[in-house]
């Protein structure tokens, strides 16, 4: 089954107007070479408008790093409604990034609610999930992935996964320079697909599964060669045009296989 190949840059809390403009100038200039995949960038929310304008007319898509789980606007100081992200041209929104889970206390239930709200607002949620090092070492990787995934399926319903992306991001690999081996990534992705297939085999086969965690220009090709790895969610390496484009090139090369 052919699935969308996708490379998403998560800028995290980085950037400035000048830095963003310089990075995007290069990405926009090169983007048409990567027409066989989809490229997206997720800047901090305050930059969405400016970034959206700079990538306008290019094939690069816009995404946000988070949204408020509340479906109705109102008294939620500091939060950003999904409709606002949509208004500013976002296609994607990350939900449940490990930094949101570990630093800001987001529970599986809250992540599931964000997933649901994102879709209500017309956004494509990128559900981030992954195990900690302790989980991996005590053999509970699959149990953790199942728990995180099942919480979303229980809230949103399996059909909602038809218009979503999943990013497997082992916590121990994010920002550490310690990448999962291609075999570890494949095993986790295959598990996620099997888990979804218990509810709906067609959806399990069609949902794009991205790998994230210290992907760089050197290791991207071997990760993307895995049959169940459909692209990447890229943190640090998305801040440098040459590295991000090399990762896009690796995804595009995989597309022809
Ligand atoms: C991320 O922020 O989702 C991520 C995967 O970061 P890094 O690529 O820097 O590990």
């Amino acid at each position: 089954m052919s699935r969308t190949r996708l490379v998403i840059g998560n800028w995290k809390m980085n950037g400035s107007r000048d830095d963003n403009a310089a990075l995007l100038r290069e990405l926009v200039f090169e983007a048409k070479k990567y027409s066989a995949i989809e490229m997206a960038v997720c800047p901090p929310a305050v930059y969405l408008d400016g970034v959206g304008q700079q990538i306008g007319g290019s094939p690069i898509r816009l995404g946000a790093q988070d949204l408020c789980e509340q479906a109705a606007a109102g008294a939620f100081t500091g939060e950003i409604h999904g409709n606002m992200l949509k208004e500013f041209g976002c296609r994607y929104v990350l939900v449940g990034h490990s930094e949101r889970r570990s630093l800001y206390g987001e529970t599986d239930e809250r992540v599931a609610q964000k997933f649901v709200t994102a879709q209500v607002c017309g956004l494509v949620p990128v559900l981030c999930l992954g195990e900690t090092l302790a989980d991996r070492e005590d053999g509970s990787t699959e149990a953790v992935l199942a728990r995180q995934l099942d919480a979303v399926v229980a809230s949103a319903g399996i059909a909602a996964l038809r218009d979503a992306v999943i990013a497997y991001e082992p916590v121990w690999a994010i920002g550490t320079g310690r990448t999962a081996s291609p075999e570890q990534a494949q095993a986790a992705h295959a598990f996620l697909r099997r888990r979804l297939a218990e509810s709906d085999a067609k959806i399990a086969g069609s949902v794009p599964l991205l790998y994230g965690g210290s992907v760089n220009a050197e290791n991207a090709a071997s990760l993307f060669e895995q049959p169940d790895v459909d692209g990447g969610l890229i943190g640090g390496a998305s801040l440098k045009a040459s590295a991000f484009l090399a990762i896009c090139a690796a995804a595009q090369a995989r597309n022809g296989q």
Side-chain angles (χ1 to χ4, degrees):
M1 170 166 311
S2 91
R3 292 181 289 270
T4 308
R5 304 272 163 212
L6 189 55
V7 179
I8 301 179
N10 171 19
W11 294 0
K12 310 195 194 207
M13 197 173 74
N14 292 292
S16 68
R17 280 203 271 223
D18 286 350
D19 289 349
N20 301 347
L23 173 58
L24 292 169
R25 252 194 306 278
E26 287 193 63
L27 296 187
V28 167
F29 185 75
E30 298 288 332
K32 54 185 167 307
K33 293 186 188 157
Y34 303 97
S35 56
I37 63 162
E38 215 179 275
M39 256 164 103
V41 292
C42 300
V46 288
Y47 296 129
L48 284 169
D49 194 19
V51 169
Q53 288 181 33
Q54 212 180 332
I55 62 177
S58 88
I60 303 172
R61 307 281 204 148
L62 190 61
Q65 297 177 12
D66 190 25
L67 83 164
C68 181
E69 70 273 22
Q70 300 294 333
F76 302 103
T77 301
E79 292 291 316
I80 299 180
H81 197 282
N83 287 344
M84 300 170 186
L85 301 177
K86 186 76 184 165
E87 187 181 1
F88 278 80
C90 287
R91 170 170 171 75
Y92 296 105
V93 61
L94 309 185
V95 298
H97 190 279
S98 81
E99 289 149 21
R100 301 296 318 168
R101 292 179 191 260
S102 67
L103 301 175
Y104 299 97
E106 292 194 8
T107 60
D108 291 337
E109 291 65 36
R110 190 153 172 224
V111 171
Q113 193 51 52
K114 289 187 178 205
F115 183 103
V116 169
T117 301
Q119 289 191 328
V120 168
C121 297
L123 299 160
V124 177
V126 179
L127 171 65
C128 304
L129 35 75
E131 81 287 0
T132 63
L133 188 57
D135 297 330
R136 179 159 283 269
E137 286 176 348
D138 72 16
S140 47
T141 296
E142 290 191 351
V144 170
L145 297 183
R147 194 199 73 223
Q148 294 175 337
L149 183 61
D150 291 356
V152 169
V153 174
S155 283
I158 185 66
L161 272 293
R162 210 176 274 129
D163 299 308
V165 174
I166 296 176
Y168 167 61
E169 297 207 302
V171 178
W172 47 272
I174 298 178
T176 58
R178 185 178 168 192
T179 318
S181 69
E183 295 72 26
Q184 286 171 321
Q186 170 57 26
H189 286 215
F191 171 75
L192 290 167
R193 254 189 241 292
R194 281 199 307 278
R195 189 83 184 175
L196 288 172
E198 289 171 17
S199 303
D200 190 311
K202 200 158 168 225
I203 288 174
S206 66
V207 63
L209 294 186
L210 311 186
Y211 168 78
S214 297
V215 178
N216 58 36
E218 287 72 44
N219 60 29
S222 60
L223 288 159
F224 297 166
E225 267 164 19
Q226 301 304 309
D228 286 300
V229 178
D230 303 314
L233 178 55
I234 317 299
S238 72
L239 298 172
K240 214 169 156 233
S242 58
F244 191 62
L245 291 169
I247 293 166
C248 292
Q252 173 142 294
R254 166 77 173 89
N255 209 39
Q257 290 168 14

